Coordinates of all heavy atoms in Angstrom, one line a residue:
M1 N 2.9 24.4 32.0 CA 2.7 23.7 30.7 C 1.8 24.5 29.9 O 1.0 25.3 30.3 CB 2.0 22.3 31.0 CG 2.3 21.4 30.0 SD 3.8 20.5 30.4 CE 4.1 19.7 29.0
F2 N 2.0 24.4 28.6 CA 1.2 25.1 27.6 C -0.2 24.6 27.5 O -0.4 23.4 27.6 CB 1.8 25.0 26.2 CG 3.1 25.7 26.1 CD1 4.3 25.0 26.0 CD2 3.2 27.1 26.0 CE1 5.5 25.6 25.9 CE2 4.4 27.7 25.9 CZ 5.6 27.0 25.8
E3 N -1.1 25.5 27.3 CA -2.5 25.1 27.1 C -2.7 24.7 25.7 O -2.4 25.5 24.8 CB -3.5 26.2 27.5 CG -4.9 25.8 27.3 CD -5.8 27.0 27.7 OE1 -5.5 27.8 28.6 OE2 -6.9 27.2 27.0
Q4 N -3.2 23.5 25.3 CA -3.3 23.2 23.9 C -4.6 23.6 23.4 O -5.7 23.4 24.0 CB -3.2 21.6 23.8 CG -3.1 21.2 22.4 CD -2.8 19.7 22.3 OE1 -2.5 19.1 23.3 NE2 -2.9 19.2 21.1
K5 N -4.6 24.4 22.3 CA -5.7 24.9 21.6 C -6.4 23.8 20.8 O -5.7 23.0 20.2 CB -5.4 26.0 20.7 CG -4.8 27.2 21.4 CD -4.3 28.3 20.4 CE -3.5 29.3 21.0 NZ -3.0 30.3 20.1
P6 N -7.7 23.7 20.7 CA -8.4 22.8 19.9 C -8.0 23.1 18.4 O -8.0 24.2 18.0 CB -9.8 23.0 20.1 CG -10.0 24.2 21.0 CD -8.7 24.6 21.5
S7 N -7.7 22.0 17.7 CA -7.3 22.3 16.3 C -7.8 21.0 15.5 O -8.2 20.0 16.0 CB -5.8 22.5 16.1 OG -5.1 21.3 16.5
K8 N -7.7 21.2 14.2 CA -8.0 20.1 13.3 C -6.9 19.1 13.4 O -5.7 19.4 13.5 CB -8.1 20.6 11.8 CG -9.2 21.5 11.6 CD -9.2 21.9 10.1 CE -10.3 23.0 9.8 NZ -10.2 23.6 8.5
K9 N -7.3 17.8 13.6 CA -6.3 16.8 13.7 C -5.6 16.5 12.4 O -6.3 16.3 11.4 CB -6.9 15.5 14.3 CG -7.3 15.7 15.7 CD -6.0 15.7 16.6 CE -6.4 15.9 18.1 NZ -5.3 16.1 18.9
A10 N -4.3 16.4 12.4 CA -3.6 16.1 11.2 C -3.4 14.6 11.1 O -3.2 14.0 12.1 CB -2.2 16.7 11.1
T11 N -3.6 14.0 10.0 CA -3.4 12.6 9.8 C -2.0 12.3 9.3 O -1.7 12.8 8.3 CB -4.5 12.0 8.9 OG1 -5.8 12.3 9.4 CG2 -4.3 10.5 8.7
L12 N -1.3 11.5 10.0 CA 0.1 11.1 9.5 C 0.1 9.8 8.8 O -0.8 9.1 9.0 CB 1.0 11.1 10.7 CG 1.1 12.4 11.5 CD1 2.1 12.2 12.6 CD2 1.5 13.6 10.6
G13 N 1.1 9.6 8.1 CA 1.2 8.4 7.4 C 1.9 8.8 6.0 O 2.5 9.8 5.9
S14 N 1.5 8.0 5.0 CA 2.1 8.3 3.6 C 1.4 9.5 3.1 O 0.2 9.7 3.3 CB 2.0 7.1 2.7 OG 2.7 6.0 3.2
P15 N 2.1 10.3 2.3 CA 1.4 11.4 1.6 C 0.4 10.9 0.7 O 0.5 9.8 0.2 CB 2.6 12.1 0.9 CG 3.8 11.7 1.6 CD 3.6 10.3 2.1
A16 N -0.7 11.6 0.5 CA -1.7 11.2 -0.4 C -1.3 11.2 -1.8 O -0.4 12.0 -2.3 CB -2.9 12.2 -0.3
T17 N -1.8 10.3 -2.6 CA -1.6 10.3 -4.1 C -2.8 10.7 -4.8 O -4.0 10.5 -4.3 CB -1.1 8.9 -4.6 OG1 -2.0 8.0 -4.3 CG2 0.2 8.6 -3.9
D18 N -2.7 11.2 -6.0 CA -3.9 11.6 -6.7 C -4.3 10.6 -7.8 O -5.1 10.8 -8.6 CB -3.6 13.0 -7.4 CG -2.5 13.0 -8.4 OD1 -2.0 11.9 -8.7 OD2 -2.2 14.0 -8.9
G19 N -3.6 9.4 -7.8 CA -4.0 8.4 -8.7 C -3.3 8.4 -10.0 O -3.4 7.5 -10.8
R20 N -2.5 9.4 -10.3 CA -1.8 9.6 -11.5 C -0.4 9.1 -11.3 O 0.5 9.8 -10.9 CB -1.8 11.0 -12.0 CG -3.1 11.5 -12.4 CD -3.0 13.0 -12.8 NE -2.2 13.7 -11.8 CZ -2.4 15.0 -11.5 NH1 -3.4 15.6 -12.0 NH2 -1.7 15.6 -10.6
S21 N -0.2 7.8 -11.6 CA 1.2 7.2 -11.5 C 1.8 7.3 -10.2 O 3.0 7.5 -10.1 CB 2.1 7.8 -12.7 OG 1.5 7.7 -13.9
G22 N 1.0 7.4 -9.2 CA 1.6 7.4 -7.8 C 2.1 8.8 -7.4 O 2.8 8.9 -6.4
S23 N 1.9 9.8 -8.2 CA 2.4 11.2 -7.9 C 1.6 11.7 -6.7 O 0.5 11.4 -6.5 CB 2.3 12.1 -9.1 OG 0.9 12.3 -9.5
L24 N 2.3 12.6 -5.9 CA 1.6 13.2 -4.8 C 0.6 14.2 -5.3 O 0.8 15.0 -6.2 CB 2.7 13.8 -3.9 CG 3.7 12.9 -3.2 CD1 4.8 13.6 -2.6 CD2 2.9 12.1 -2.2
A25 N -0.5 14.2 -4.6 CA -1.6 15.1 -5.0 C -1.2 16.5 -4.5 O -0.6 16.7 -3.4 CB -2.9 14.6 -4.4
S26 N -1.6 17.5 -5.2 CA -1.5 18.9 -4.7 C -2.9 19.4 -4.3 O -3.9 18.8 -4.7 CB -0.9 19.8 -5.8 OG -1.8 19.9 -6.9
A27 N -2.9 20.4 -3.5 CA -4.2 20.9 -3.0 C -4.1 22.4 -2.8 O -3.0 22.9 -2.7 CB -4.7 20.3 -1.7
L28 N -5.2 23.1 -2.6 CA -5.3 24.5 -2.3 C -5.2 24.6 -0.8 O -6.0 24.0 -0.1 CB -6.5 25.2 -2.8 CG -6.6 25.4 -4.3 CD1 -7.9 26.0 -4.7 CD2 -5.4 26.2 -4.9
V29 N -4.2 25.5 -0.3 CA -4.1 25.7 1.0 C -4.0 27.2 1.1 O -3.1 27.9 0.5 CB -2.8 25.1 1.7 CG1 -2.6 25.6 3.1 CG2 -2.8 23.6 1.6
E30 N -4.9 27.8 1.9 CA -4.9 29.3 2.0 C -4.9 30.0 0.7 O -4.2 31.0 0.4 CB -3.7 29.8 2.9 CG -3.7 29.3 4.3 CD -2.4 29.5 5.0 OE1 -1.6 30.4 4.6 OE2 -2.1 28.9 6.0
G31 N -5.6 29.3 -0.3 CA -5.8 29.9 -1.7 C -4.6 29.7 -2.6 O -4.6 30.2 -3.7
T32 N -3.6 28.9 -2.2 CA -2.4 28.6 -2.9 C -2.2 27.2 -3.2 O -2.4 26.4 -2.2 CB -1.1 29.2 -2.3 OG1 -1.4 30.6 -2.1 CG2 0.1 29.0 -3.1
R33 N -1.8 26.8 -4.4 CA -1.6 25.3 -4.6 C -0.4 24.9 -4.0 O 0.7 25.5 -4.0 CB -1.5 25.1 -6.2 CG -1.4 23.6 -6.4 CD -2.1 23.1 -7.6 NE -3.5 23.5 -7.8 CZ -4.6 22.8 -7.4 NH1 -4.4 21.7 -6.7 NH2 -5.8 23.2 -7.7
V34 N -0.5 23.8 -3.2 CA 0.7 23.2 -2.4 C 0.8 21.8 -2.8 O -0.1 21.0 -2.9 CB 0.3 23.3 -0.9 CG1 1.4 22.7 -0.1 CG2 0.1 24.8 -0.5
R35 N 2.1 21.4 -3.1 CA 2.4 20.1 -3.4 C 2.1 19.1 -2.3 O 2.1 19.4 -1.1 CB 3.9 19.9 -3.7 CG 4.4 20.8 -4.9 CD 5.8 20.6 -5.3 NE 6.7 20.1 -4.3 CZ 7.7 20.8 -3.6 NH1 7.8 22.1 -4.0 NH2 8.4 20.3 -2.7
G36 N 1.8 17.8 -2.7 CA 1.5 16.8 -1.7 C 2.5 16.6 -0.6 O 2.1 16.4 0.6
E37 N 3.8 16.6 -1.0 CA 4.8 16.4 0.1 C 4.8 17.5 1.0 O 5.1 17.4 2.2 CB 6.2 16.1 -0.6 CG 6.7 17.2 -1.4 CD 6.3 17.0 -3.0 OE1 5.3 16.4 -3.3 OE2 7.1 17.5 -3.8
E38 N 4.5 18.8 0.5 CA 4.4 20.0 1.5 C 3.3 19.8 2.4 O 3.3 20.1 3.6 CB 4.4 21.2 0.7 CG 5.7 21.5 -0.1 CD 5.6 22.7 -1.0 OE1 4.4 23.2 -1.3 OE2 6.6 23.2 -1.4
Q39 N 2.1 19.3 1.9 CA 1.0 19.1 2.7 C 1.3 18.1 3.9 O 0.9 18.3 5.0 CB -0.2 18.5 1.9 CG -0.7 19.5 0.9 CD -1.8 18.8 0.1 OE1 -2.8 18.3 0.6 NE2 -1.6 18.6 -1.2
W40 N 2.0 17.0 3.5 CA 2.4 16.0 4.4 C 3.3 16.5 5.5 O 3.1 16.3 6.7 CB 3.0 14.8 3.7 CG 3.3 13.6 4.6 CD1 2.4 12.8 5.1 CD2 4.5 13.2 5.0 NE1 3.1 11.8 5.8 CE2 4.4 12.1 5.8 CE3 5.9 13.7 4.8 CZ2 5.5 11.4 6.4 CZ3 6.9 13.0 5.3 CH2 6.7 11.9 6.2
V41 N 4.2 17.3 5.1 CA 5.3 17.9 6.0 C 4.5 18.8 7.0 O 4.7 18.8 8.2 CB 6.4 18.6 5.3 CG1 7.2 19.4 6.3 CG2 7.3 17.6 4.6
R42 N 3.6 19.6 6.4 CA 2.8 20.5 7.2 C 2.0 19.8 8.3 O 2.0 20.2 9.5 CB 1.9 21.4 6.4 CG 1.1 22.4 7.1 CD 0.2 23.2 6.2 NE -0.2 24.4 6.9 CZ -1.2 25.2 6.4 NH1 -1.7 25.0 5.3 NH2 -1.5 26.3 7.1
A43 N 1.4 18.7 7.9 CA 0.6 17.9 8.9 C 1.5 17.3 9.9 O 1.2 17.3 11.1 CB -0.1 16.7 8.1
C44 N 2.7 16.9 9.5 CA 3.7 16.3 10.5 C 4.1 17.3 11.5 O 4.2 17.1 12.7 CB 4.9 15.7 9.8 SG 4.6 14.2 8.9
L45 N 4.4 18.5 11.0 CA 4.8 19.6 11.9 C 3.7 20.1 12.8 O 3.9 20.3 14.0 CB 5.2 20.9 11.0 CG 6.5 20.7 10.4 CD1 6.8 21.9 9.3 CD2 7.7 20.7 11.3
Q46 N 2.5 20.1 12.3 CA 1.3 20.4 13.2 C 1.1 19.4 14.3 O 0.8 19.8 15.4 CB 0.1 20.7 12.4 CG 0.1 21.9 11.5 CD -1.1 22.0 10.6 OE1 -1.6 21.0 10.1 NE2 -1.4 23.2 10.3
Q47 N 1.3 18.2 14.0 CA 1.2 17.1 14.9 C 2.3 17.1 16.0 O 2.1 17.0 17.2 CB 1.2 15.7 14.2 CG 0.9 14.6 15.1 CD -0.6 14.5 15.6 OE1 -1.5 15.1 14.9 NE2 -0.9 14.0 16.7
A48 N 3.5 17.4 15.5 CA 4.7 17.4 16.4 C 4.8 18.7 17.2 O 5.3 18.6 18.4 CB 6.0 17.2 15.6
L49 N 4.3 19.7 16.7 CA 4.3 21.1 17.4 C 2.9 21.6 17.7 O 2.5 22.6 17.0 CB 5.2 22.0 16.6 CG 6.6 21.6 16.2 CD1 7.2 22.4 15.2 CD2 7.5 21.4 17.5
P50 N 2.2 21.1 18.6 CA 0.7 21.5 18.7 C 0.5 22.9 19.1 O -0.5 23.5 18.9 CB 0.2 20.5 19.8 CG 1.4 20.1 20.5 CD 2.5 20.1 19.5
N51 N 1.6 23.6 19.7 CA 1.3 24.9 20.1 C 1.9 25.9 19.1 O 2.1 27.1 19.4 CB 2.0 25.2 21.5 CG 1.2 24.3 22.6 OD1 0.0 24.4 22.6 ND2 2.0 23.5 23.3
V52 N 2.2 25.4 17.9 CA 2.8 26.3 16.9 C 1.9 26.3 15.7 O 1.4 25.3 15.2 CB 4.2 25.7 16.5 CG1 4.8 26.4 15.3 CG2 5.2 25.8 17.7
E53 N 1.7 27.5 15.1 CA 1.0 27.6 13.9 C 2.0 27.4 12.7 O 3.0 28.0 12.7 CB 0.3 29.0 13.8 CG -0.4 29.2 12.4 CD -0.9 30.6 12.3 OE1 -0.7 31.5 13.2 OE2 -1.5 30.9 11.2
V54 N 1.6 26.5 11.7 CA 2.4 26.3 10.6 C 1.8 27.1 9.4 O 0.7 26.6 8.9 CB 2.6 24.8 10.2 CG1 3.4 24.6 9.0 CG2 3.1 24.1 11.4
R55 N 2.3 28.2 9.1 CA 1.7 29.2 8.2 C 2.3 29.1 6.8 O 3.6 29.1 6.7 CB 1.7 30.6 8.7 CG 1.0 31.6 7.9 CD 1.0 32.9 8.4 NE 0.4 33.1 9.7 CZ 0.4 34.1 10.5 NH1 1.0 35.2 10.1 NH2 -0.3 34.1 11.6
L56 N 1.6 28.9 5.7 CA 2.1 29.0 4.4 C 2.8 30.3 4.1 O 2.2 31.4 4.4 CB 1.0 28.7 3.4 CG 1.4 28.6 1.9 CD1 2.2 27.4 1.7 CD2 0.1 28.6 1.0
H57 N 4.0 30.3 3.6 CA 4.7 31.5 3.3 C 4.8 31.6 1.8 O 4.6 32.7 1.3 CB 6.1 31.4 3.9 CG 6.9 32.6 3.6 ND1 6.8 33.9 4.2 CD2 7.9 32.8 2.6 CE1 7.6 34.7 3.7 NE2 8.3 34.1 2.7
D58 N 5.2 30.5 1.0 CA 5.3 30.6 -0.4 C 4.0 30.7 -1.0 O 3.4 29.6 -1.3 CB 6.2 29.4 -0.8 CG 6.6 29.5 -2.3 OD1 6.1 30.5 -3.0 OD2 7.3 28.6 -2.8
D59 N 3.6 31.8 -1.4 CA 2.3 32.0 -2.1 C 2.5 32.1 -3.6 O 1.5 32.4 -4.4 CB 1.6 33.2 -1.6 CG 2.3 34.5 -1.8 OD1 3.4 34.5 -2.4 OD2 1.8 35.5 -1.3
G60 N 3.7 31.9 -4.1 CA 4.0 32.0 -5.5 C 4.2 33.4 -6.1 O 4.4 33.6 -7.3
S61 N 4.1 34.4 -5.2 CA 4.2 35.8 -5.7 C 5.7 36.2 -6.1 O 5.8 37.2 -6.8 CB 3.7 36.7 -4.6 OG 4.4 36.7 -3.4
R62 N 6.6 35.5 -5.5 CA 8.0 35.8 -5.8 C 8.8 34.5 -5.9 O 8.5 33.5 -5.3 CB 8.6 36.7 -4.7 CG 8.0 38.0 -4.5 CD 8.8 38.8 -3.4 NE 9.1 38.1 -2.2 CZ 8.4 38.2 -1.1 NH1 7.3 38.9 -1.0 NH2 8.8 37.5 0.0
P63 N 9.9 34.5 -6.7 CA 10.7 33.3 -6.7 C 11.5 33.2 -5.4 O 11.7 34.1 -4.7 CB 11.6 33.5 -7.9 CG 11.6 35.0 -8.1 CD 10.4 35.5 -7.6
V64 N 12.0 32.0 -5.1 CA 12.9 31.7 -4.0 C 12.3 32.1 -2.6 O 13.0 32.7 -1.8 CB 14.3 32.3 -4.2 CG1 15.3 31.7 -3.2 CG2 14.8 32.2 -5.7
M65 N 11.1 31.6 -2.4 CA 10.4 31.8 -1.1 C 10.5 30.5 -0.3 O 10.3 29.5 -0.9 CB 9.0 32.3 -1.2 CG 8.9 33.6 -1.9 SD 7.1 34.1 -2.1 CE 6.7 34.5 -0.4
H66 N 10.8 30.6 1.0 CA 10.6 29.3 1.8 C 9.2 28.9 1.9 O 8.3 29.8 1.7 CB 11.3 29.5 3.1 CG 10.7 30.6 4.0 ND1 11.2 31.9 4.0 CD2 9.7 30.5 4.9 CE1 10.5 32.6 4.8 NE2 9.6 31.8 5.4
D67 N 8.9 27.7 2.2 CA 7.6 27.1 2.2 C 6.7 27.5 3.4 O 5.5 27.9 3.1 CB 7.6 25.6 2.1 CG 8.3 25.2 0.8 OD1 7.9 25.6 -0.2 OD2 9.2 24.3 0.9
F68 N 7.1 27.5 4.5 CA 6.3 27.7 5.7 C 7.0 28.6 6.7 O 8.2 28.6 6.8 CB 5.9 26.4 6.4 CG 5.1 25.5 5.5 CD1 5.7 24.3 5.0 CD2 3.8 25.7 5.2 CE1 5.0 23.4 4.2 CE2 3.1 24.9 4.4 CZ 3.7 23.7 3.9
D69 N 6.2 29.3 7.5 CA 6.7 30.0 8.7 C 6.1 29.3 9.9 O 5.0 28.9 9.9 CB 6.1 31.5 8.8 CG 6.7 32.3 7.7 OD1 7.9 32.2 7.4 OD2 6.0 33.2 7.1
L70 N 7.0 29.1 10.9 CA 6.5 28.6 12.2 C 6.2 29.8 13.1 O 7.1 30.6 13.3 CB 7.5 27.7 12.9 CG 7.9 26.4 12.0 CD1 8.9 25.6 12.8 CD2 6.7 25.6 11.6
M71 N 5.0 29.9 13.6 CA 4.5 31.1 14.3 C 4.2 30.6 15.8 O 3.5 29.6 16.0 CB 3.3 31.6 13.7 CG 3.4 31.9 12.2 SD 4.5 33.3 11.8 CE 3.5 34.6 12.4
R72 N 4.6 31.5 16.7 CA 4.2 31.3 18.1 C 3.8 32.6 18.7 O 4.6 33.6 18.5 CB 5.3 30.7 18.9 CG 4.9 30.3 20.4 CD 6.0 29.7 21.2 NE 6.6 28.5 20.6 CZ 7.9 28.4 20.4 NH1 8.8 29.4 20.7 NH2 8.4 27.3 19.9
E73 N 2.6 32.7 19.3 CA 2.1 34.0 19.8 C 2.2 35.1 18.8 O 2.6 36.3 19.1 CB 2.9 34.4 21.1 CG 2.8 33.3 22.2 CD 3.6 33.6 23.4 OE1 4.4 34.6 23.4 OE2 3.6 32.8 24.3
G74 N 1.8 34.7 17.6 CA 1.7 35.8 16.5 C 3.1 36.2 15.9 O 3.1 37.1 15.0
R75 N 4.2 35.6 16.3 CA 5.5 35.9 15.8 C 6.2 34.8 15.2 O 6.2 33.7 15.7 CB 6.4 36.5 16.9 CG 5.8 37.7 17.6 CD 6.7 38.2 18.7 NE 7.9 38.7 18.1 CZ 8.6 39.6 18.5 NH1 8.3 40.2 19.6 NH2 9.8 40.0 17.9
R76 N 6.8 35.0 14.0 CA 7.6 34.0 13.3 C 8.9 33.7 14.1 O 9.6 34.7 14.4 CB 7.8 34.4 11.9 CG 8.6 33.3 11.1 CD 8.9 33.6 9.7 NE 10.1 34.5 9.7 CZ 10.6 35.1 8.6 NH1 10.0 34.9 7.5 NH2 11.6 35.9 8.7
F77 N 9.2 32.4 14.4 CA 10.4 32.1 15.0 C 11.2 31.2 14.2 O 12.4 30.9 14.5 CB 10.2 31.5 16.5 CG 9.5 30.2 16.5 CD1 10.3 29.0 16.5 CD2 8.2 30.1 16.4 CE1 9.7 27.8 16.5 CE2 7.6 28.8 16.5 CZ 8.3 27.7 16.5
A78 N 10.7 30.7 13.0 CA 11.5 29.8 12.2 C 10.9 29.8 10.8 O 9.6 30.0 10.6 CB 11.5 28.4 12.8
A79 N 11.7 29.5 9.8 CA 11.2 29.3 8.4 C 11.6 27.9 8.1 O 12.5 27.3 8.5 CB 12.1 30.2 7.5
V80 N 10.7 27.3 7.2 CA 10.8 25.9 6.8 C 10.8 25.8 5.3 O 9.9 26.4 4.7 CB 9.7 25.0 7.4 CG1 9.8 23.6 6.9 CG2 9.7 25.1 8.9
E81 N 11.8 25.0 4.8 CA 11.8 24.8 3.3 C 11.7 23.3 3.2 O 12.4 22.5 3.8 CB 13.1 25.3 2.7 CG 13.3 24.9 1.3 CD 12.3 25.6 0.4 OE1 11.7 26.7 0.7 OE2 12.0 25.0 -0.7
V82 N 10.7 22.8 2.4 CA 10.6 21.4 2.2 C 11.5 20.9 1.0 O 11.3 21.6 -0.1 CB 9.1 21.0 1.9 CG1 9.0 19.5 1.6 CG2 8.3 21.5 3.1
T83 N 12.4 20.0 1.2 CA 13.2 19.5 0.1 C 13.1 18.0 0.1 O 12.6 17.4 1.0 CB 14.7 19.9 0.3 OG1 15.1 19.4 1.5 CG2 14.8 21.4 0.3
A84 N 13.7 17.4 -0.9 CA 13.7 15.9 -1.0 C 14.9 15.5 -1.7 O 15.5 16.2 -2.5 CB 12.5 15.4 -1.8
A85 N 15.4 14.3 -1.2 CA 16.5 13.7 -1.8 C 16.2 12.2 -2.1 O 15.6 11.6 -1.3 CB 17.7 13.8 -0.9
A86 N 16.6 11.7 -3.2 CA 16.3 10.3 -3.5 C 17.5 9.7 -4.4 O 18.1 10.4 -5.1 CB 15.0 10.2 -4.3
D87 N 17.8 8.5 -4.1 CA 18.7 7.7 -4.8 C 18.2 7.5 -6.3 O 17.1 7.0 -6.5 CB 18.9 6.4 -4.2 CG 19.8 5.4 -4.9 OD1 21.0 5.9 -5.1 OD2 19.4 4.4 -5.4
A88 N 19.1 7.9 -7.2 CA 18.6 7.9 -8.6 C 18.2 6.5 -9.1 O 17.2 6.4 -9.8 CB 19.7 8.4 -9.5
V89 N 19.0 5.4 -8.7 CA 18.6 4.1 -9.2 C 17.2 3.7 -8.5 O 16.4 3.1 -9.2 CB 19.7 3.1 -8.8 CG1 19.3 1.7 -9.1 CG2 21.0 3.5 -9.5
S90 N 17.1 4.0 -7.3 CA 15.8 3.6 -6.6 C 14.6 4.3 -7.2 O 13.5 3.8 -7.4 CB 15.9 3.9 -5.1 OG 16.9 3.1 -4.5
L91 N 14.8 5.6 -7.5 CA 13.8 6.5 -8.1 C 13.4 5.9 -9.5 O 12.2 5.8 -9.8 CB 14.3 7.9 -8.2 CG 13.2 8.9 -8.7 CD1 12.0 8.9 -7.8 CD2 13.8 10.3 -8.7
E92 N 14.4 5.5 -10.3 CA 14.1 5.0 -11.6 C 13.3 3.7 -11.5 O 12.3 3.4 -12.3 CB 15.3 4.8 -12.4 CG 16.0 6.1 -12.9 CD 14.9 6.9 -13.8 OE1 14.3 6.3 -14.7 OE2 14.8 8.1 -13.6
L93 N 13.6 2.8 -10.5 CA 12.9 1.6 -10.4 C 11.5 1.8 -9.9 O 10.6 1.3 -10.4 CB 13.7 0.7 -9.3 CG 13.0 -0.6 -8.9 CD1 12.8 -1.5 -10.2 CD2 13.7 -1.3 -7.8
W94 N 11.3 2.8 -9.0 CA 10.0 3.1 -8.5 C 9.1 3.7 -9.7 O 7.9 3.3 -9.8 CB 10.1 4.2 -7.4 CG 8.8 4.6 -6.9 CD1 8.2 4.0 -5.8 CD2 7.9 5.6 -7.3 NE1 7.0 4.7 -5.5 CE2 6.8 5.6 -6.4 CE3 8.0 6.6 -8.3 CZ2 5.8 6.6 -6.6 CZ3 7.0 7.5 -8.4 CH2 5.8 7.5 -7.5
K95 N 9.7 4.5 -10.6 CA 9.0 5.0 -11.7 C 8.6 3.9 -12.7 O 7.5 3.9 -13.2 CB 9.8 6.1 -12.4 CG 9.9 7.4 -11.7 CD 10.7 8.3 -12.6 CE 10.9 9.7 -11.8 NZ 11.7 10.6 -12.6
L96 N 9.5 3.0 -12.9 CA 9.2 1.8 -13.7 C 8.1 1.0 -13.2 O 7.2 0.6 -14.0 CB 10.5 1.0 -13.9 CG 10.4 -0.2 -14.9 CD1 10.1 0.3 -16.3 CD2 11.7 -1.0 -14.8
I97 N 8.1 0.7 -12.0 CA 7.1 -0.1 -11.3 C 5.7 0.6 -11.4 O 4.7 0.1 -11.7 CB 7.5 -0.5 -9.9 CG1 8.7 -1.5 -10.0 CG2 6.3 -1.1 -9.2 CD1 9.3 -1.8 -8.6
N98 N 5.8 1.9 -11.0 CA 4.5 2.6 -10.9 C 4.0 3.3 -12.1 O 2.8 3.5 -12.2 CB 4.7 3.7 -9.7 CG 4.7 3.0 -8.4 OD1 3.8 2.5 -7.9 ND2 5.9 3.0 -7.8
C99 N 4.9 3.6 -13.0 CA 4.5 4.4 -14.2 C 4.5 3.5 -15.5 O 4.0 3.9 -16.5 CB 5.4 5.6 -14.4 SG 5.4 6.7 -13.0
G100 N 5.2 2.4 -15.4 CA 5.4 1.5 -16.6 C 6.5 2.1 -17.5 O 6.9 3.2 -17.3
A101 N 7.0 1.3 -18.4 CA 8.0 1.7 -19.3 C 7.5 2.6 -20.3 O 6.3 2.5 -20.8 CB 8.6 0.5 -20.0
R102 N 8.2 3.7 -20.7 CA 7.7 4.7 -21.6 C 8.7 4.8 -22.8 O 9.8 4.6 -22.8 CB 7.6 6.0 -20.9 CG 6.5 5.9 -19.9 CD 6.1 7.2 -19.4 NE 5.1 7.0 -18.4 CZ 4.4 7.9 -17.8 NH1 4.7 9.1 -17.9 NH2 3.6 7.6 -16.9

């Protein structure tokens, strides 16, 4: 069995919001601004894959970069791109409820 390294515990649940109309908060990770949903996915991956390092790949230096590298024993074995899909009607209703009519 793998020996689990001590690490910061990721908290799972809903992504954090920054208080602005329910939008996901962004934060600096490894010196790069990361969207709230990417932070949440990173926390989920770290929790689900405790022996894998989830390393930020998209530092904004080039267009069309994937978001994260999955690393094991110092070697990348997978790339992760965070995407989202939402039903347009549901999204509009959510915006109306959370942002108000504009």
Side-chain angles (χ1 to χ4, degrees):
M1 202 87 194
F2 292 106
E3 179 182 326
Q4 188 169 353
K5 298 176 188 173
S7 65
K8 295 179 185 174
K9 289 289 179 189
T11 302
L12 300 181
S14 297
T17 61
D18 63 4
R20 294 181 310 220
S21 304
S23 63
L24 292 171
S26 63
L28 289 177
V29 174
E30 300 172 16
T32 301
R33 185 142 310 271
V34 177
R35 296 185 335 252
E37 59 269 25
E38 291 173 346
Q39 296 174 61
W40 184 74
V41 168
R42 184 180 196 189
C44 289
L45 288 169
Q46 289 174 329
Q47 186 72 27
L49 305 169
N51 296 309
V52 173
E53 177 187 358
V54 181
R55 185 179 294 174
L56 182 66
H57 178 79
D58 187 358
D59 61 4
S61 63
R62 296 186 314 262
V64 194
M65 295 177 74
H66 60 272
D67 296 310
F68 299 107
D69 290 322
L70 299 185
M71 309 288 291
R72 188 181 303 126
E73 297 176 1
R75 298 182 67 150
R76 183 179 78 182
F77 69 92
V80 176
E81 177 65 26
V82 178
T83 62
D87 174 62
V89 174
S90 297
L91 186 56
E92 286 303 313
L93 177 60
W94 183 87
K95 285 180 182 179
L96 182 63
I97 292 169
N98 291 289
C99 303
R102 295 191 180 185

